[in-house]
Amino acid sequence: MSPPEARRKISRQERNEEVRRSLFRAAGEIVGERGYEEASISRITERAGVANGTFYNHFETRQELLDQLLPSLGEEMIEFIRQRTRDVRPERDRELARFRAFFEFLVENPGFLRILNEAEFSAPEAYRQHIQNVSLPYLRILQRARGAGETRDFTDAELEAVVHILIGARGYLSQRYAYAEGGARLPDEAVFDAYAKLLIGGLFAESDKPGAV
């Protein structure tokens, strides 16, 4: 009888990638719980379950990790929303689904909003990169919707402003409605209804307007 197949040995590269992911996860948890100022290298490595010296195999400084944290988590958020909305049409309905998916992401990642809000001062390069990563694809989405006649006749400059209005709405509404003692939750349906009425009455074309929201 042939011996059972040997378990595949993890390569050094795979091990390094797993340690790096562990450091990111640990940093994200600590910043989300305590803020950037409390995310020391010792706290991060302790949470990740690795030695202090291991940190420097992956990052030269604490700030280097923090400067990569928000863009990395932001890409996870973008992909989360994309997966939940990719089959939704027309664009009006897809935008409403994106809005809901953002709050669903917060429920699963309750520390994200603190990481985002404090980054403007504690990791400004990361903050700028994140806003660019979110806003540029968002603008292209709305430009395509405009080309298909699904939005009102906004100029490119106006659509760029709309994108930042929508991004800002998510941040402020999540602070007001998504957080309670014990973590994040989905807001009441009134928040989603208000967003829908605002968009359908302003951004999207009258021809797309349904009978009821």
Side-chain angles (χ1 to χ4, degrees), residues 47-113:
R47 180 75 64 97
V50 301
N52 252 29
T54 302
F55 181 93
Y56 296 100
N57 294 333
H58 300 274
F59 305 98
E60 290 188 6
T61 65
R62 167 183 172 274
Q63 191 63 45
E64 182 185 353
L65 185 157
L66 297 180
D67 284 342
Q68 295 178 33
L69 180 60
L70 177 58
S72 176
L73 292 175
E75 291 290 350
E76 291 182 17
M77 179 197 71
I78 290 168
E79 183 58 25
F80 179 95
I81 293 172
R82 182 183 294 122
Q83 290 298 324
R84 299 226 170 175
T85 63
R86 61 183 178 181
D87 297 325
V88 180
R89 294 294 185 279
E91 192 60 42
R92 174 203 65 212
D93 293 346
R94 192 175 176 209
E95 171 55 29
L96 299 179
R98 277 194 293 266
F99 183 68
R100 185 178 292 272
F102 170 77
F103 288 97
E104 292 170 346
F105 179 81
L106 291 185
V107 170
E108 295 189 16
N109 302 272
F112 178 78
L113 193 64

Side-chain angles (χ1 to χ4, degrees), residues 121-160:
F121 303 101
S122 297
E125 287 300 321
Y127 183 81
R128 284 191 286 272
Q129 184 63 54
H130 170 72
I131 295 300
Q132 180 173 302
N133 290 347
V134 173
S135 62
L136 292 181
Y138 209 161
L139 177 59
R140 289 194 291 268
I141 287 170
L142 294 185
Q143 286 171 332
R144 287 195 296 270
R146 180 189 60 190
E150 294 188 72
T151 72
R152 297 179 186 276
D153 190 23
F154 288 90
T155 66
D156 283 345
E158 289 170 340
L159 278 182
E160 183 178 359

